[in-house]
Amino acid sequence: MSSAAAGSAKPDPRAAMPVVETVLAFVNTRANGGGGQELFGDGRSLAAWLAERHEFAGETVATDADAAAARELRDALVTVLLAHSGDEESVGEPLQHAEERLRRAGALYPLATVVTARGVELASPQAGVPRVFGTVLAAVTTVAQTGDWGRIKACRNPPCHFGFFDRTRNGGGLYCSTGCGSQVSMRNYRQRQRRGSEAPPEA
């Protein structure tokens, strides 16, 4: 899947904002219809994923309970990103539940302000896997402070739901790639054709 929406592009902030890449890497660990594997299936797979991500400092110890917590945090974020894309099935009760899970995560994995001569940043004061979750929440917060949080979206093409940064000029991207957009258009066309063929003849 492409990691950017099609359309007129503004500069991709990921080059200057690795926090965007941190958020996208975390949410794009789900199994999907495009062949993506579940990367948080158990403690071993979570540890293997963490070992490959430099922002987590090579954390390699994780339990099955940690993997379950990672899935819960990730899936709540994906629901919010789908809401950013205007996905109708993600708003209302699903979004409320996701936001409540994220509020609980914010309490479980608090952040600390780190002030240096170079600048100020948020970081997790915890250790182990809780520090990983805090790092993800710090990345989300940093992106939100730039005003770009609404541009991090999840593809509306089910079952893709791949996270992407919407680089369209008007922020109206809905799909992670033109391929996903074409699939949705084709499905909608076929549904209209079926409805037309099932309509009763006029008297």
Side-chain angles (χ1 to χ4, degrees):
M1 294 290 178
S2 169
S3 60
S8 298
K10 70 179 217 178
D12 192 334
R14 286 176 295 176
M17 288 181 57
V19 289
V20 173
E21 181 58 36
T22 295
V23 176
L24 291 176
F26 187 78
V27 299
N28 287 331
T29 54
R30 301 167 66 251
N32 59 47
Q37 302 294 313
E38 171 60 67
L39 301 181
F40 295 165
D42 55 22
R44 180 177 297 181
S45 59
L46 171 60
W49 183 81
L50 291 174
E52 297 177 352
R53 302 297 308 183
H54 66 86
E55 64 266 56
F56 302 127
E59 180 66 48
T60 57
V61 178
T63 67
D64 289 351
D66 291 330
R71 292 193 301 271
E72 183 178 80
L73 175 59
R74 177 199 63 196
D75 293 348
L77 286 170
V78 170
T79 298
V80 171
L81 301 190
L82 282 168
H84 286 175
S85 298
D87 180 68
E88 294 181 356
E89 295 184 1
S90 300
V91 298
E93 188 173 339
L95 181 59
Q96 291 174 6
H97 288 167
E99 291 175 339
E100 177 57 33
R101 287 196 295 270
L102 291 169
R103 281 191 288 271
R104 292 199 303 268
L108 286 170
Y109 315 114
L111 303 176
T113 302
V114 179
V115 181
T116 68
R118 296 187 303 275
V120 181
E121 64 180 7
L122 292 173
S124 172
Q126 297 177 295
V129 174
R131 180 178 60 80
V132 169
F133 298 152
T135 300
V136 172
L137 293 176
V140 167
T141 304
T142 302
V143 173
Q145 289 172 336
T146 69
D148 282 329
W149 177 228
R151 284 185 175 270
I152 299 185
K153 302 179 178 182
C155 181
R156 281 180 58 174
N157 180 24
C160 175
H161 296 338
F162 191 84
F164 67 97
F165 187 86
D166 179 5
R167 297 188 296 117
T168 59
R169 190 177 302 278
N170 65 356
L174 304 178
Y175 307 106
C176 69
S177 67
T178 54
C180 275
S182 297
Q183 288 177 20
V184 172
S185 296
M186 181 58 67
R187 280 201 302 268
N188 291 340
Y189 171 77
R190 289 172 177 169
Q191 288 174 359
R192 289 193 299 270
Q193 291 291 98
R194 285 197 296 269
R195 286 195 295 267
S197 64
E198 294 170 358
E202 295 182 3

PDB file of all heavy atoms in Angstrom, residues 26-32 36-39 74-75 78 159-162:
ATOM      1  N   PHE A  26       3.147   2.457  14.050  1.00  0.00           N
ATOM      2  CA  PHE A  26       2.410   1.758  15.102  1.00  0.00           C
ATOM      3  C   PHE A  26       1.028   1.310  14.619  1.00  0.00           C
ATOM      4  O   PHE A  26       0.627   0.161  14.847  1.00  0.00           O
ATOM      5  CB  PHE A  26       2.277   2.669  16.326  1.00  0.00           C
ATOM      6  CG  PHE A  26       1.681   1.989  17.528  1.00  0.00           C
ATOM      7  CD1 PHE A  26       2.445   1.142  18.319  1.00  0.00           C
ATOM      8  CD2 PHE A  26       0.353   2.204  17.886  1.00  0.00           C
ATOM      9  CE1 PHE A  26       1.898   0.515  19.431  1.00  0.00           C
ATOM     10  CE2 PHE A  26      -0.203   1.587  18.994  1.00  0.00           C
ATOM     11  CZ  PHE A  26       0.577   0.738  19.771  1.00  0.00           C
ATOM     12  N   VAL A  27       0.299   2.190  13.938  1.00  0.00           N
ATOM     13  CA  VAL A  27      -1.064   1.819  13.529  1.00  0.00           C
ATOM     14  C   VAL A  27      -1.062   0.845  12.361  1.00  0.00           C
ATOM     15  O   VAL A  27      -2.037   0.096  12.175  1.00  0.00           O
ATOM     16  CB  VAL A  27      -1.913   3.068  13.187  1.00  0.00           C
ATOM     17  CG1 VAL A  27      -2.038   3.976  14.396  1.00  0.00           C
ATOM     18  CG2 VAL A  27      -1.360   3.812  11.992  1.00  0.00           C
ATOM     19  N   ASN A  28       0.018   0.814  11.588  1.00  0.00           N
ATOM     20  CA  ASN A  28       0.056  -0.072  10.425  1.00  0.00           C
ATOM     21  C   ASN A  28       0.656  -1.435  10.765  1.00  0.00           C
ATOM     22  O   ASN A  28       1.418  -2.016   9.987  1.00  0.00           O
ATOM     23  CB  ASN A  28       0.828   0.588   9.278  1.00  0.00           C
ATOM     24  CG  ASN A  28       0.018   1.704   8.638  1.00  0.00           C
ATOM     25  OD1 ASN A  28      -1.201   1.671   8.637  1.00  0.00           O
ATOM     26  ND2 ASN A  28       0.711   2.704   8.106  1.00  0.00           N
ATOM     27  N   THR A  29       0.288  -1.955  11.910  1.00  0.00           N
ATOM     28  CA  THR A  29       0.729  -3.289  12.331  1.00  0.00           C
ATOM     29  C   THR A  29      -0.413  -4.292  12.288  1.00  0.00           C
ATOM     30  O   THR A  29      -0.238  -5.443  12.698  1.00  0.00           O
ATOM     31  CB  THR A  29       1.288  -3.231  13.769  1.00  0.00           C
ATOM     32  OG1 THR A  29       0.308  -2.627  14.630  1.00  0.00           O
ATOM     33  CG2 THR A  29       2.577  -2.424  13.826  1.00  0.00           C
ATOM     34  N   ARG A  30      -1.561  -3.882  11.776  1.00  0.00           N
ATOM     35  CA  ARG A  30      -2.735  -4.752  11.735  1.00  0.00           C
ATOM     36  C   ARG A  30      -2.694  -5.662  10.512  1.00  0.00           C
ATOM     37  O   ARG A  30      -2.165  -5.294   9.470  1.00  0.00           O
ATOM     38  CB  ARG A  30      -4.024  -3.923  11.675  1.00  0.00           C
ATOM     39  CG  ARG A  30      -4.213  -2.979  12.826  1.00  0.00           C
ATOM     40  CD  ARG A  30      -5.324  -1.960  12.579  1.00  0.00           C
ATOM     41  NE  ARG A  30      -6.642  -2.566  12.492  1.00  0.00           N
ATOM     42  CZ  ARG A  30      -7.350  -2.670  11.390  1.00  0.00           C
ATOM     43  NH1 ARG A  30      -6.869  -2.221  10.238  1.00  0.00           N
ATOM     44  NH2 ARG A  30      -8.532  -3.222  11.404  1.00  0.00           N
ATOM     45  N   ALA A  31      -3.320  -6.816  10.638  1.00  0.00           N
ATOM     46  CA  ALA A  31      -3.553  -7.656   9.466  1.00  0.00           C
ATOM     47  C   ALA A  31      -4.592  -6.961   8.591  1.00  0.00           C
ATOM     48  O   ALA A  31      -5.513  -6.320   9.099  1.00  0.00           O
ATOM     49  CB  ALA A  31      -4.055  -9.029   9.891  1.00  0.00           C
ATOM     50  N   ASN A  32      -4.435  -7.070   7.277  1.00  0.00           N
ATOM     51  CA  ASN A  32      -5.411  -6.457   6.382  1.00  0.00           C
ATOM     52  C   ASN A  32      -5.556  -7.267   5.112  1.00  0.00           C
ATOM     53  O   ASN A  32      -4.829  -8.237   4.888  1.00  0.00           O
ATOM     54  CB  ASN A  32      -5.017  -5.001   6.059  1.00  0.00           C
ATOM     55  CG  ASN A  32      -3.655  -4.897   5.399  1.00  0.00           C
ATOM     56  OD1 ASN A  32      -3.347  -5.640   4.469  1.00  0.00           O
ATOM     57  ND2 ASN A  32      -2.827  -3.979   5.871  1.00  0.00           N
ATOM     58  N   GLY A  36      -1.035  -7.727   4.680  1.00  0.00           N
ATOM     59  CA  GLY A  36      -0.328  -7.357   5.898  1.00  0.00           C
ATOM     60  C   GLY A  36      -0.609  -8.340   7.022  1.00  0.00           C
ATOM     61  O   GLY A  36      -1.741  -8.789   7.206  1.00  0.00           O
ATOM     62  N   GLN A  37       0.424  -8.686   7.781  1.00  0.00           N
ATOM     63  CA  GLN A  37       0.292  -9.638   8.877  1.00  0.00           C
ATOM     64  C   GLN A  37       0.073  -8.916  10.200  1.00  0.00           C
ATOM     65  O   GLN A  37       0.523  -7.781  10.385  1.00  0.00           O
ATOM     66  CB  GLN A  37       1.562 -10.489   8.973  1.00  0.00           C
ATOM     67  CG  GLN A  37       1.899 -11.256   7.709  1.00  0.00           C
ATOM     68  CD  GLN A  37       0.856 -12.319   7.392  1.00  0.00           C
ATOM     69  OE1 GLN A  37       0.452 -13.078   8.259  1.00  0.00           O
ATOM     70  NE2 GLN A  37       0.428 -12.364   6.141  1.00  0.00           N
ATOM     71  N   GLU A  38      -0.608  -9.575  11.129  1.00  0.00           N
ATOM     72  CA  GLU A  38      -0.758  -9.044  12.480  1.00  0.00           C
ATOM     73  C   GLU A  38       0.597  -9.102  13.174  1.00  0.00           C
ATOM     74  O   GLU A  38       1.157 -10.183  13.372  1.00  0.00           O
ATOM     75  CB  GLU A  38      -1.793  -9.866  13.262  1.00  0.00           C
ATOM     76  CG  GLU A  38      -1.871  -9.537  14.741  1.00  0.00           C
ATOM     77  CD  GLU A  38      -2.240  -8.088  14.997  1.00  0.00           C
ATOM     78  OE1 GLU A  38      -3.384  -7.705  14.677  1.00  0.00           O
ATOM     79  OE2 GLU A  38      -1.368  -7.362  15.519  1.00  0.00           O
ATOM     80  N   LEU A  39       1.135  -7.932  13.545  1.00  0.00           N
ATOM     81  CA  LEU A  39       2.461  -7.863  14.146  1.00  0.00           C
ATOM     82  C   LEU A  39       2.434  -7.803  15.666  1.00  0.00           C
ATOM     83  O   LEU A  39       3.491  -7.851  16.294  1.00  0.00           O
ATOM     84  CB  LEU A  39       3.224  -6.650  13.596  1.00  0.00           C
ATOM     85  CG  LEU A  39       3.427  -6.644  12.077  1.00  0.00           C
ATOM     86  CD1 LEU A  39       4.226  -5.414  11.662  1.00  0.00           C
ATOM     87  CD2 LEU A  39       4.110  -7.924  11.607  1.00  0.00           C
ATOM     88  N   ARG A  74      -3.594   0.504  19.655  1.00  0.00           N
ATOM     89  CA  ARG A  74      -3.532   0.671  18.201  1.00  0.00           C
ATOM     90  C   ARG A  74      -4.923   0.752  17.587  1.00  0.00           C
ATOM     91  O   ARG A  74      -5.203   1.638  16.764  1.00  0.00           O
ATOM     92  CB  ARG A  74      -2.763  -0.506  17.591  1.00  0.00           C
ATOM     93  CG  ARG A  74      -2.697  -0.481  16.068  1.00  0.00           C
ATOM     94  CD  ARG A  74      -2.355  -1.850  15.518  1.00  0.00           C
ATOM     95  NE  ARG A  74      -3.378  -2.839  15.840  1.00  0.00           N
ATOM     96  CZ  ARG A  74      -3.195  -4.169  15.742  1.00  0.00           C
ATOM     97  NH1 ARG A  74      -2.032  -4.649  15.365  1.00  0.00           N
ATOM     98  NH2 ARG A  74      -4.177  -5.003  16.025  1.00  0.00           N
ATOM     99  N   ASP A  75      -5.809  -0.166  17.960  1.00  0.00           N
ATOM    100  CA  ASP A  75      -7.121  -0.203  17.340  1.00  0.00           C
ATOM    101  C   ASP A  75      -7.940   1.038  17.690  1.00  0.00           C
ATOM    102  O   ASP A  75      -8.743   1.511  16.878  1.00  0.00           O
ATOM    103  CB  ASP A  75      -7.866  -1.478  17.751  1.00  0.00           C
ATOM    104  CG  ASP A  75      -7.214  -2.730  17.176  1.00  0.00           C
ATOM    105  OD1 ASP A  75      -6.346  -2.605  16.291  1.00  0.00           O
ATOM    106  OD2 ASP A  75      -7.555  -3.841  17.639  1.00  0.00           O
ATOM    107  N   VAL A  78      -6.659   3.640  15.350  1.00  0.00           N
ATOM    108  CA  VAL A  78      -7.158   3.418  13.989  1.00  0.00           C
ATOM    109  C   VAL A  78      -8.590   3.916  13.858  1.00  0.00           C
ATOM    110  O   VAL A  78      -8.961   4.525  12.837  1.00  0.00           O
ATOM    111  CB  VAL A  78      -7.060   1.926  13.609  1.00  0.00           C
ATOM    112  CG1 VAL A  78      -7.804   1.646  12.304  1.00  0.00           C
ATOM    113  CG2 VAL A  78      -5.605   1.500  13.463  1.00  0.00           C
ATOM    114  N   PRO A 159     -11.026  -4.062   3.533  1.00  0.00           N
ATOM    115  CA  PRO A 159     -10.486  -4.082   4.898  1.00  0.00           C
ATOM    116  C   PRO A 159      -9.095  -3.475   4.999  1.00  0.00           C
ATOM    117  O   PRO A 159      -8.327  -3.859   5.872  1.00  0.00           O
ATOM    118  CB  PRO A 159     -10.434  -5.584   5.180  1.00  0.00           C
ATOM    119  CG  PRO A 159     -10.057  -6.164   3.835  1.00  0.00           C
ATOM    120  CD  PRO A 159     -10.726  -5.295   2.794  1.00  0.00           C
ATOM    121  N   CYS A 160      -8.730  -2.541   4.137  1.00  0.00           N
ATOM    122  CA  CYS A 160      -7.374  -1.989   4.144  1.00  0.00           C
ATOM    123  C   CYS A 160      -7.099  -1.215   5.431  1.00  0.00           C
ATOM    124  O   CYS A 160      -6.306  -1.634   6.269  1.00  0.00           O
ATOM    125  CB  CYS A 160      -7.168  -1.076   2.927  1.00  0.00           C
ATOM    126  SG  CYS A 160      -5.570  -0.236   2.913  1.00  0.00           S
ATOM    127  N   HIS A 161      -7.754  -0.063   5.594  1.00  0.00           N
ATOM    128  CA  HIS A 161      -7.599   0.780   6.787  1.00  0.00           C
ATOM    129  C   HIS A 161      -6.131   1.091   7.090  1.00  0.00           C
ATOM    130  O   HIS A 161      -5.733   1.189   8.264  1.00  0.00           O
ATOM    131  CB  HIS A 161      -8.276   0.133   7.992  1.00  0.00           C
ATOM    132  CG  HIS A 161      -9.763   0.001   7.859  1.00  0.00           C
ATOM    133  ND1 HIS A 161     -10.499   0.794   6.996  1.00  0.00           N
ATOM    134  CD2 HIS A 161     -10.653  -0.830   8.453  1.00  0.00           C
ATOM    135  CE1 HIS A 161     -11.783   0.453   7.080  1.00  0.00           C
ATOM    136  NE2 HIS A 161     -11.902  -0.521   7.936  1.00  0.00           N
ATOM    137  N   PHE A 162      -5.322   1.213   6.049  1.00  0.00           N
ATOM    138  CA  PHE A 162      -3.906   1.523   6.195  1.00  0.00           C
ATOM    139  C   PHE A 162      -3.750   2.981   6.589  1.00  0.00           C
ATOM    140  O   PHE A 162      -4.375   3.870   6.014  1.00  0.00           O
ATOM    141  CB  PHE A 162      -3.198   1.256   4.861  1.00  0.00           C
ATOM    142  CG  PHE A 162      -1.702   1.274   4.905  1.00  0.00           C
ATOM    143  CD1 PHE A 162      -0.995   0.149   5.293  1.00  0.00           C
ATOM    144  CD2 PHE A 162      -0.998   2.416   4.550  1.00  0.00           C
ATOM    145  CE1 PHE A 162       0.397   0.160   5.318  1.00  0.00           C
ATOM    146  CE2 PHE A 162       0.385   2.435   4.562  1.00  0.00           C
ATOM    147  CZ  PHE A 162       1.090   1.304   4.959  1.00  0.00           C
TER     148      PHE A 162
END
